[in-house]
Amino acid sequence: MNIGIIGFGKMGSEIEKIAIQKNHNIIFKINSQNHQDLNRDNLSKIDVAIEFSTPETAFNNIKFCLKQKIPVVSGTTGWTNKLQEIQNITKQHNTAFLYSENFSLGVNYFFKINQLLAKLTKQTNYKIHIEETHHITKKDQPSGTAIKLKNDIKKNYKSNIIEPIKSYRKDEVKGEHLIRYSSEIDTIEMKHIAHSRIGFAKGVILASEFIQNKTGIFYMEDVLNHLL
């Protein structure tokens, strides 16, 4: 598979390593210094674009690729108020787009457990606390993962009270997410801790392999279902 990486920072670098380990080819790597290389000629050489840029540039990057009928896998957060527009463009140009707030397989298992717990406790009086901690250079706050965790709870709960998300930025923390259900009777607590970016990168490559020769809108849930 020929890959173009858009947003070559720490995450992009890890994605490159995993892609090469799996015998894929990196055709180009785009950062703020060579954005002009994101052009039609280079896009014609790749099978998929992996987009991990910034909240300010993600929408235009993704739109440009999709209009050239290049499938896109994106993990950039902080821009998804325009997600519906991107989905419409994907359909108009008969290509593929896969988005996830978090590509770690472990985090996606965590999403599933969170959804189930919300359903099980929907008639109770738990107060729900969510907090996330990331490295000091992470630009969006709260994290897209924490927002998804909260939204998934809101879809399933009845009487639970969800507190505002607490966000912390500390050192080089790769990503920690905690959910706490508290009542006078007991406390239920779940936590996911990422020890490195490798788990995220492996999920990105799995997603990129998954959307080959497909058209439509996809999520990591589709990738997980494919693995079962």
Side-chain angles (χ1 to χ4, degrees), residues 88 204 211:
N88 292 340
V204 171
I211 66 169

Side-chain angles (χ1 to χ4, degrees), residues 1-115:
M1 182 169 61
N2 292 329
I3 297 171
I5 300 177
I6 306 170
F8 195 70
K10 293 177 180 178
M11 189 64 205
S13 178
E14 203 63 56
I15 289 169
E16 179 185 36
K17 292 176 186 176
I18 300 300
I20 291 172
Q21 287 176 14
K22 299 193 72 174
N23 297 315
H24 298 306
N25 304 309
I26 305 299
I27 304 303
F28 61 77
K29 299 172 285 188
I30 303 295
N31 58 32
S32 60
Q33 305 302 312
N34 69 335
H35 197 267
Q36 69 277 4
D37 290 342
L38 183 59
N39 54 52
R40 289 181 176 84
D41 182 52
N42 281 331
L43 286 180
S44 69
K45 302 172 185 176
I46 65 173
D47 300 306
V48 63
I50 296 176
E51 204 282 335
F52 272 81
S53 60
T54 67
E56 295 76 24
T57 60
F59 174 76
N60 286 330
N61 291 337
I62 296 166
K63 180 172 68 172
F64 182 72
C65 294
L66 293 174
K67 286 190 173 182
Q68 309 309 311
K69 297 185 180 297
I70 300 299
V72 178
V73 171
S74 178
T76 307
T77 55
W79 65 274
T80 50
N81 58 313
K82 295 183 178 180
L83 183 59
Q84 185 60 58
E85 187 174 347
I86 287 297
Q87 292 175 339
N88 292 340
I89 292 170
T90 302
K91 294 173 183 176
Q92 290 166 9
H93 293 273
N94 198 36
T95 185
F97 177 65
L98 191 152
Y99 176 76
S100 181
E101 298 86 350
N102 195 311
F103 281 88
S104 161
L105 294 182
V107 166
N108 280 275
Y109 303 148
F110 193 59
F111 286 153
K112 287 288 190 183
I113 296 168
N114 177 54
Q115 293 163 11

Side-chain angles (χ1 to χ4, degrees), residues 11-228:
M11 189 64 205
S13 178
E14 203 63 56
I15 289 169
E16 179 185 36
K17 292 176 186 176
I18 300 300
I20 291 172
Q21 287 176 14
K22 299 193 72 174
N23 297 315
H24 298 306
N25 304 309
I26 305 299
I27 304 303
F28 61 77
K29 299 172 285 188
I30 303 295
N31 58 32
S32 60
Q33 305 302 312
N34 69 335
H35 197 267
Q36 69 277 4
D37 290 342
L38 183 59
N39 54 52
R40 289 181 176 84
D41 182 52
N42 281 331
L43 286 180
S44 69
K45 302 172 185 176
I46 65 173
D47 300 306
V48 63
I50 296 176
E51 204 282 335
F52 272 81
S53 60
T54 67
E56 295 76 24
T57 60
F59 174 76
N60 286 330
N61 291 337
I62 296 166
K63 180 172 68 172
F64 182 72
C65 294
L66 293 174
K67 286 190 173 182
Q68 309 309 311
K69 297 185 180 297
I70 300 299
V72 178
V73 171
S74 178
T76 307
T77 55
W79 65 274
T80 50
N81 58 313
K82 295 183 178 180
L83 183 59
Q84 185 60 58
E85 187 174 347
I86 287 297
Q87 292 175 339
N88 292 340
I89 292 170
T90 302
K91 294 173 183 176
Q92 290 166 9
H93 293 273
N94 198 36
T95 185
F97 177 65
L98 191 152
Y99 176 76
S100 181
E101 298 86 350
N102 195 311
F103 281 88
S104 161
L105 294 182
V107 166
N108 280 275
Y109 303 148
F110 193 59
F111 286 153
K112 287 288 190 183
I113 296 168
N114 177 54
Q115 293 163 11
L116 177 59
L117 183 58
K119 291 177 183 177
L120 291 172
T121 60
K122 65 183 180 181
Q123 300 292 352
T124 66
N125 293 312
Y126 283 105
K127 290 185 179 180
I128 303 172
H129 171 84
I130 302 171
E131 66 181 61
E132 56 95 358
T133 305
H134 282 85
H135 52 87
I136 57 175
T137 57
K138 184 170 177 60
K139 295 186 178 181
D140 57 320
Q141 189 172 345
S143 69
T145 299
I147 292 172
K148 175 173 171 56
L149 289 167
K150 182 174 182 178
N151 288 340
D152 284 349
I153 293 169
K154 289 171 68 176
K155 289 176 185 176
N156 293 290
Y157 87 113
K158 287 291 180 69
S159 60
N160 314 60
I161 300 172
I162 307 176
E163 300 174 351
I165 297 170
K166 299 290 186 183
S167 295
Y168 305 96
R169 296 294 173 262
K170 180 181 179 182
D171 303 327
E172 287 294 315
V173 175
K174 303 300 184 294
E176 298 180 3
H177 293 87
L178 178 142
I179 304 173
R180 182 184 301 119
Y181 285 66
S182 299
S183 72
E184 294 181 355
I185 300 172
D186 59 14
T187 297
I188 305 171
E189 188 169 285
M190 303 184 296
K191 188 172 186 179
H192 179 273
I193 301 174
H195 299 303
S196 74
R197 293 184 176 86
I198 295 174
F200 303 100
K202 286 186 174 181
V204 171
I205 297 304
L206 275 175
S208 301
E209 294 168 342
F210 170 79
I211 66 169
Q212 290 299 290
N213 303 313
K214 291 183 175 65
T215 59
I217 310 299
F218 302 98
Y219 302 93
M220 276 303 286
E221 184 173 1
D222 299 304
V223 179
L224 293 181
N225 290 338
H226 179 71
L227 294 174
L228 294 177

